[in-house]
Amino acid sequence: MTRVRIADIAKAFGPVLAVRGVTLEVGEGEFFSLLGPSGCGKTTTLRIIAGLERPTRGEIWFGDEAVTNLPPQLRNIGLVFQSYAVFPTMTVYNNVAYGLRIRRLPEAEMRQRVFAALEMVGMKALADRMPGAISGGQMQRVALARALAIRPRLLLLDEPLSNLDAKLRVEVRAEIKRLQREVGITTIYVTHDQEEALSLSDRVGVMNQGLLEQVGRPDEIYRRPATQFVAGFVGEGTVLNGVLGYEQQQAWVTVGSGVRLPVRGAAGVPPGPVWVCIRPEAVRVAHEAASGTGVLEGVVLGVEYVGAVMRVDVQVPTVERALRLTMWSLGFPARLQMGATVRLTVDPEGIIVGRPH
């Protein structure tokens, strides 16, 4: 295990600044995810930590050791890539043994380490198989075993589940989480998939256009996004422009043309223009006869079946974007069909506001 610290890291590719002054500390044994859209700089940041890219500026430390100018082979890190990078002409055993052979470990110790790593990922029985005779999920397990067999002080994973189907992604994700907890290794995981990041991580760093916009626990990132980008990127929700005001110690936000909603999550935000994020779990269908402050009327624009839940988009007049709500699909009310008029209420706890930057 090791603590990782990067200070003011930047990386330019010609005129393009891919990473712009990222500072971050990852604790010993922590599972940390870098989350963001394609092109945000997360993979470049990971490659800089690995030593595969030299930063244009900034410093990197593993514990108290400065590694900024150290080549990757001397950093003692385990790397798992999106493409598996499994050698097709080697057996599963020899793939896992590859890094140990380069380190010239004695045969007996190498064998013990290889089988221990394969057992951790449930692949010991397939040690003599060729990569062409195993599935994509099994190949990713081989890549994990190979990374862990060298007993690295740091594990780096770059979009390792992107090539797997949806069900297999969930299975391998659970395997990665179990292994990380079992081994206790410091792990940095790069993904564009918010579900992966939120479910796996102790903390998450959200990147956008080369900058680290927010770092925090998964619940903090979701419930208290620091910026409009984070609010819109992490989790579902409707992001709107609004105006915040206070009346008798109650915060109110006005969206669209005069739609006023009470807010509970506005502590420290001064009155004036704000961005507003309304989470779908905060939007509920009201009784057909409901009326008064906080009751909204709109038209159902879309209904999407996604198994256990239904996603419903409702357009409220004068509000620039439809509000999304989620409901259990079992017992879904027939009146919520396309074009139907419905009344909604919004839980003040599920409305997030922040000042535009």
Side-chain angles (χ1 to χ4, degrees):
M1 291 194 297
T2 192
R3 178 171 54 93
V4 178
R5 184 161 54 98
I6 62 177
D8 196 30
I9 287 294
K11 177 64 179 178
F13 295 99
V16 178
L17 200 56
V19 179
R20 301 190 285 158
V22 169
T23 295
L24 174 67
E25 185 166 326
V26 179
E28 290 185 11
E30 183 176 18
F31 196 119
F32 187 92
S33 288
L34 283 171
L35 172 67
S38 297
C40 71
K42 58 189 185 296
T43 291
T44 300
T45 301
L46 190 83
R47 289 175 62 84
I48 289 170
I49 294 169
L52 300 174
E53 298 284 354
R54 182 69 64 86
T56 305
R57 73 163 191 266
E59 299 291 333
I60 309 162
W61 288 267
F62 290 176
D64 295 325
E65 180 186 3
V67 299
T68 312
N69 298 312
L70 206 62
Q73 65 270 24
L74 298 181
R75 297 191 185 196
N76 191 25
I77 54 173
L79 275 167
V80 180
F81 299 98
Q82 176 181 347
S83 60
Y84 316 137
V86 171
F87 299 113
T89 58
M90 293 183 184
T91 63
V92 165
Y93 177 94
N94 286 327
N95 264 282
V96 178
Y98 182 79
L100 302 175
R101 284 205 170 94
I102 289 177
R103 288 163 173 78
R104 301 183 182 278
L105 256 70
E107 189 68 29
E109 183 181 354
M110 180 177 69
R111 186 175 179 81
Q112 184 273 327
R113 283 212 208 174
V114 170
F115 280 118
L118 285 172
E119 188 163 15
M120 277 195 289
V121 299
M123 292 288 292
K124 188 175 180 180
L126 302 181
D128 294 329
R129 292 273 185 96
M130 298 298 289
I134 61 177
S135 69
Q138 289 171 328
M139 280 197 281
Q140 198 59 286
R141 286 184 169 94
V142 172
L144 271 169
R146 182 175 58 194
L148 293 171
I150 63 171
R151 296 178 183 171
R153 54 181 173 176
L154 177 65
L155 180 62
L156 304 177
L157 301 104
D158 185 12
E159 303 269 14
L161 309 183
S162 294
N163 288 336
L164 306 181
D165 62 53
K167 186 175 181 181
L168 198 52
R169 276 203 304 272
V170 174
E171 291 177 6
V172 179
R173 186 172 77 201
E175 191 76 11
I176 290 172
K177 188 169 186 175
R178 179 189 66 79
L179 283 171
Q180 196 271 339
R181 297 288 185 263
E182 186 177 297
V183 178
I185 188 171
T186 306
T187 301
I188 301 177
Y189 186 100
V190 160
T191 182
H192 66 274
D193 187 316
Q194 56 178 291
E195 187 176 313
E196 282 180 19
L198 296 179
S199 65
L200 283 170
S201 312
D202 298 311
R203 287 189 306 147
V204 177
V206 183
M207 291 193 70
N208 181 36
Q209 297 182 346
L211 296 171
L212 200 56
E213 294 222 350
Q214 185 175 358
V215 175
R217 297 190 317 269
D219 62 306
E220 291 173 336
I221 296 289
Y222 183 80
R223 298 190 182 282
R224 295 190 294 278
T227 67
Q228 184 171 350
F229 172 81
V230 175
F233 185 77
V234 178
E236 294 186 6
T238 304
V239 180
L240 307 165
N241 296 313
V243 178
L244 182 68
Y246 293 87
E247 291 179 11
Q248 298 178 343
Q249 298 184 327
Q250 170 65 57
W252 293 83
V253 67
T254 302
V255 295
S257 300
V259 176
R260 295 178 79 237
L261 298 169
V263 182
R264 294 215 181 106
V269 181
V274 291
W275 53 261
V276 181
C277 178
I278 302 176
R279 294 298 189 198
E281 62 269 26
V283 184
R284 300 187 177 103
V285 178
H287 190 275
E288 292 181 37
S291 62
T293 304
V295 177
L296 311 176
E297 187 172 274
V299 176
V300 177
L301 291 186
V303 179
E304 185 180 13
Y305 173 77
V306 284
V309 298
M310 304 287 286
R311 295 192 184 113
V312 184
D313 292 321
V314 177
Q315 182 65 64
V316 176
T318 77
V319 176
E320 67 261 36
R321 294 186 186 88
L323 299 183
R324 169 162 288 185
L325 62 140
T326 54
M327 302 180 70
W328 294 112
S329 56
L330 190 64
F332 185 74
R335 63 190 173 99
L336 290 185
Q337 301 303 317
M338 291 272 291
T341 298
V342 294
R343 289 181 175 167
L344 308 172
T345 60
V346 183
D347 188 334
E349 296 283 356
I351 302 176
I352 308 159
V353 299
R355 293 303 299 270
H357 288 291

